[in-house]
Amino acid sequence: MSSKKDSELAQPAKTRFSRRGFLGGMGVGTGAVGAGLLEREAEAAPPANVSGPGAVPITLNINGKPAKLTVEPRVTLLDAMRDHLDLTGAKRVCDRGVCGACTVIMNGKSVYSCNVLAIDAQGKDIQTIEGLGVNNPVSAAFVNHDAQQCGYCTPGFVMAAKGFLDHHPSPTMEDVKHGLGGNLCRCGTYMGVRQAVLEAAKNMKGGKNG
Ligand code: FES
Ligand code: FES
């Protein structure tokens, strides 16, 4: 048996508002009213911390020294270093966070500098291959093991190895293989690189082979 209540439920509830009326009241479809709302919101919003799009002055802390430069906010740390600071050790190969040729150490961690905006790197401690210098255990081990051919990937590998060893002082061969998995070498010097990292570990902190 059908009750009154059932038939009421089957019907859409009637309200004083129609969808068309609601949208009209909100200004949707009129354009002018919508734009007016946006303008009022923009006026009411506090000024955001916006930089650019033109070049802005920034300061980077690279290898323990402040470096002042003026770059557009879209410029990567890699391009800022290479094009504005004459720091060309980090290489631009894939420019999309795949090969590791641009590796630097930022706040103690290896990062792809092509994946970091220069403006965002302000206030961070950045170490590059130039700051590491040639007289360090990692570079020396790379030389000992002939861990480069064309050498284009080498600065990135050295920085990745340094960043890795700082956190894994006693790695096994397998650890090294995985730890440096984010760096590619087109010349195929992987075995030399891995041996070099193990030697550097030994010379730095007495690491173990495995
Ligand atoms: S150039 Fe940055 S990861 Fe390849
Ligand atoms: S030594 Fe040539 S790309 Fe690695």
Side-chain angles (χ1 to χ4, degrees), residues 148-154 185-187 189:
Q148 64 277 312
Q149 288 186 47
C150 77
Y152 212 70
C153 69
T154 310
C185 172
R186 286 180 176 82
C187 301
T189 58

Side-chain angles (χ1 to χ4, degrees), residues 63 105 127-145 154-155 157-163 165-166 196-197 199-204:
N63 299 324
I105 296 175
Q127 190 178 24
T128 71
I129 191 77
E130 290 88 351
L132 205 57
V134 288
N135 295 319
N136 69 82
V138 182
S139 297
F142 269 66
V143 173
N144 284 349
H145 287 273
T154 310
F157 260 112
V158 170
M159 294 312 291
K162 169 79 167 66
L165 289 172
D166 285 345
V197 176
E199 181 186 301
K202 270 190 199 165
N203 293 341
M204 290 164 77

Side-chain angles (χ1 to χ4, degrees), residues 35-87:
L37 280 173
L38 288 176
E39 275 167 24
R40 283 202 298 281
E41 276 177 16
E43 279 167 17
N49 192 14
V50 174
S51 297
V56 292
I58 65 169
T59 304
L60 298 174
N61 183 16
I62 303 191
N63 299 324
K65 291 182 194 154
K68 292 184 184 297
L69 61 160
T70 303
V71 290
E72 290 176 21
R74 66 184 175 84
V75 171
T76 63
L77 174 59
L78 174 65
D79 288 344
M81 292 189 303
R82 292 183 57 83
D83 299 342
H84 296 264
L85 300 175
D86 208 20
L87 293 170

